Amino acid sequence: MDRPARDPGLQPERTRMAWRRTTLAGAVVGVLAGRQAVVEGPRPLAVLAVALAGLVWLALLAVGQRRIRALAAPRPPALSPRAAVAAAGCAALLGVLGVGMLR
């Protein structure tokens, strides 16, 4: 059975904006972690946390951009379980790093 094309309504746009907000929030965590590391002085653990936050943010950005590009298709594929786990893991790790930098 042939599936109808996706509704060109606002849902794809909301999803795109949600991915952008998530990657922006990750960037904010990285910037705040960097700021905290500079204020406290270059301790090895702080530098490691900033570097890790940057790498995790880049991974989240890659997943988000891939999904945003996929949403442009008339009938985008579902988000793969691997990508969903990667995005959730990146967001959770950025949250943990953000909280850890406050201590």
Side-chain angles (χ1 to χ4, degrees):
M1 180 163 95
D2 192 30
R3 297 184 335 194
R6 180 185 68 189
D7 176 22
L10 296 177
Q11 189 274 332
E13 183 64 24
R14 286 192 306 268
T15 303
R16 256 191 244 73
M17 290 188 325
W19 277 106
R20 296 216 189 269
R21 282 191 306 269
T22 302
T23 56
L24 178 62
V28 169
V29 168
V31 168
L32 291 177
R35 180 187 171 278
Q36 189 71 19
V38 168
V39 167
E40 290 182 359
R43 297 177 322 187
L45 189 57
V47 171
L48 179 65
V50 171
L52 185 58
L55 289 174
V56 171
W57 176 75
L58 286 173
L60 181 63
L61 183 65
V63 171
Q65 288 300 322
R66 183 175 296 134
R67 187 64 187 155
I68 287 170
R69 281 193 306 271
L71 287 171
R75 189 73 179 168
L79 184 64
S80 71
R82 181 178 166 197
V85 168
C90 287
L93 188 54
L94 283 171
V96 168
L97 286 170
V99 170
M101 289 302 292
L102 293 176
R103 293 181 178 244

